[in-house]
Amino acid sequence: MRKRIGFIGAGTMGAPMAENLYRAGFPVTVYNRTRAKLTPLMEKGLATADDLAGAVADKDVIITMLSDDAAVKEVVLGDEGVLTHCRPGTVLIDMSTVSPDTAIEISQRSKENGVHTLDAPVSGSQNAAQSAQLVVLAGGDQHVFSEMSDVFAALAKASYYFGGPGSGAKAKLVVNLLLAVTMQGISEALVLAESFGLKREQILEMMQQTVLASPFLTFKRELLSRGEFPAAFALKHMHKDLGLITEQARTRQAILPATTSVQQTYTAALNHGRGEQDMAAVFAELLHQAGLY
Ligand SMILES: NC(=O)c1ccc[n+]([C@@H]2O[C@H](COP(=O)([O-])OP(=O)(O)OC[C@H]3O[C@@H](n4cnc5c(N)ncnc54)[C@H](OP(=O)(O)O)[C@@H]3O)[C@@H](O)[C@H]2O)c1
């Protein structure tokens, strides 16, 4: 029998992920705090729940894909949270990007209820979620990870097991450090080009013929070119991740000078109301700081 899945959080990432699980043949029930976001999924045939209990009861696997640590703690550990509705033996997979400390806390509290957990955040944005080309970065018990291979195969082109609870969350922060710094590097190069009066589109095209060519640059090229930033990965979420990265680095005495500097740009962008835009809006922020926008 296919695993019955309760999916919580039908946001930018969660909605296409739930849809891919459904298309792969899993019986999926989706819950989202804001009910209106469930309508497109219902129209595609997915089952939805009116409340958390309806998405969790009698399921084999619960997946959460939520904004941040506070949301995951509230939804999983809260008074009427996921753990109060789960049967022992259920597998809870949190795929949100959260602190390794939160992942460990969730793992410990779940264990007390006989619930198995994986922290399994993903690399890849909305397009990768839609095309089931995500990369899963998992921590938890290895045998639980192995048992979930069919679930991950419906979402991702690759899944990696990094070790015990919190290891997936740690790996995700490693990836996002590079993503945030890369985004700022590309943006600063374009600011310099702009200050020289060079054509932005031509610079972007040329870069794709150099050793710096990358799928990431291809993905962000149109936004950078147009100077409009509808969110695939909201800047507020990358700002949140930079907070997690610098906090973790501080406690480990890891010195990350570029990351600390990049964090200031994301904070300024957030303060200038760019949080709901794509993370590529750091380019707009740097143009603004240079008096070019
Ligand atoms: N977008 C990307 O490219 C990307 C890529 C990799 C990883 N991530 C990570 O994946 C996670 C989800 O990202 P996303 O882009 O899908 O975010 P999103 O579009 O902002 O969706 C966030 C989801 O969390 C729910 N939520 C927030 N606070 C809640 C609360 N207190 N109680 C219940 N539900 C709550 C929202 O419900 P409502 O609809 O009711 O607000 C929504 O379903 C984040 O941790 C993000 O950092 C994102």
Side-chain angles (χ1 to χ4, degrees):
M1 200 175 69
R2 302 298 311 254
K3 299 176 174 84
R4 293 162 299 178
I5 299 178
F7 198 104
I8 301 162
T12 304
M13 298 293 284
M17 289 166 71
E19 190 179 335
N20 281 333
L21 290 165
Y22 170 72
R23 288 193 191 289
F26 291 101
V28 186
T29 306
V30 191
Y31 168 76
N32 195 64
R33 178 181 61 177
T34 306
R35 213 179 142 66
K37 289 190 191 167
L38 293 174
T39 308
L41 293 174
M42 285 162 78
E43 287 170 358
K44 288 173 182 165
L46 278 79
T48 61
D50 291 333
D51 52 25
L52 210 49
V56 173
D58 302 325
K59 301 297 185 296
D60 305 304
V61 178
I62 310 297
I63 297 178
T64 46
M65 190 56 170
L66 302 164
S67 308
D68 53 21
D69 291 62
V72 172
K73 284 187 184 181
E74 183 186 330
V75 168
V76 175
L77 306 176
D79 287 345
E80 287 295 316
V82 168
L83 289 183
T84 63
H85 304 293
C86 274
R87 316 180 261 118
T90 307
V91 175
L92 168 62
I93 310 175
D94 181 32
M95 305 193 78
S96 329
T97 304
V98 297
S99 160
D101 300 335
T102 294
I104 291 166
E105 185 182 351
I106 299 271
S107 161
Q108 288 170 345
R109 293 276 299 277
S110 300
K111 210 175 218 172
E112 291 163 15
N113 293 40
V115 171
H116 310 292
T117 59
L118 292 173
D119 46 289
V122 295
S123 184
S125 197
Q126 189 183 28
N127 59 337
Q130 287 164 343
S131 55
Q133 293 293 298
L134 293 167
V135 177
V136 172
L137 319 171
D141 285 345
Q142 191 155 17
H143 73 91
V144 179
F145 172 73
S146 301
E147 280 169 16
M148 293 300 119
S149 60
D150 53 348
V151 173
F152 294 144
L155 301 171
K157 62 179 174 184
S159 302
Y160 292 94
Y161 174 76
F162 285 99
S167 303
K170 288 174 184 167
K172 174 62 182 166
L173 297 186
V174 171
V175 175
N176 274 21
L177 180 158
L178 192 55
L179 206 57
V181 173
T182 301
M183 190 70 250
Q184 171 125 350
I186 293 168
S187 300
E188 288 192 16
L190 291 177
V191 167
L192 181 65
E194 213 95 343
S195 74
F196 285 146
L198 297 173
K199 289 196 185 87
R200 190 188 303 172
E201 185 47 42
Q202 195 179 17
I203 290 288
L204 283 166
E205 190 183 320
M206 172 273 290
M207 278 185 182
Q208 289 297 62
Q209 298 303 323
T210 72
V211 289
L212 294 162
S214 69
F216 181 61
L217 193 52
T218 302
F219 182 44
K220 297 298 180 194
R221 180 170 164 180
E222 200 192 330
L223 304 189
L224 294 166
S225 194
R226 282 196 286 121
E228 290 170 14
F229 304 97
F233 180 28
L235 190 142
K236 66 178 179 185
H237 289 324
M238 184 53 105
H239 180 263
K240 172 248 320 177
D241 296 348
L242 282 163
L244 298 175
I245 291 163
T246 50
E247 182 193 319
Q248 290 293 319
R250 220 177 358 258
T251 62
R252 291 168 170 75
Q253 279 88 47
I255 311 292
L256 307 174
T259 310
T260 308
S261 166
V262 165
Q263 186 181 27
Q264 289 169 12
T265 312
Y266 280 81
T267 301
L270 197 75
N271 291 340
H272 287 140
R274 305 187 205 277
E276 300 298 333
Q277 296 180 346
D278 192 79
M279 62 173 288
V282 287
F283 174 47
E285 177 59 30
L286 289 168
L287 280 178
H288 168 75
Q289 290 180 11
L292 292 166
Y293 189 62

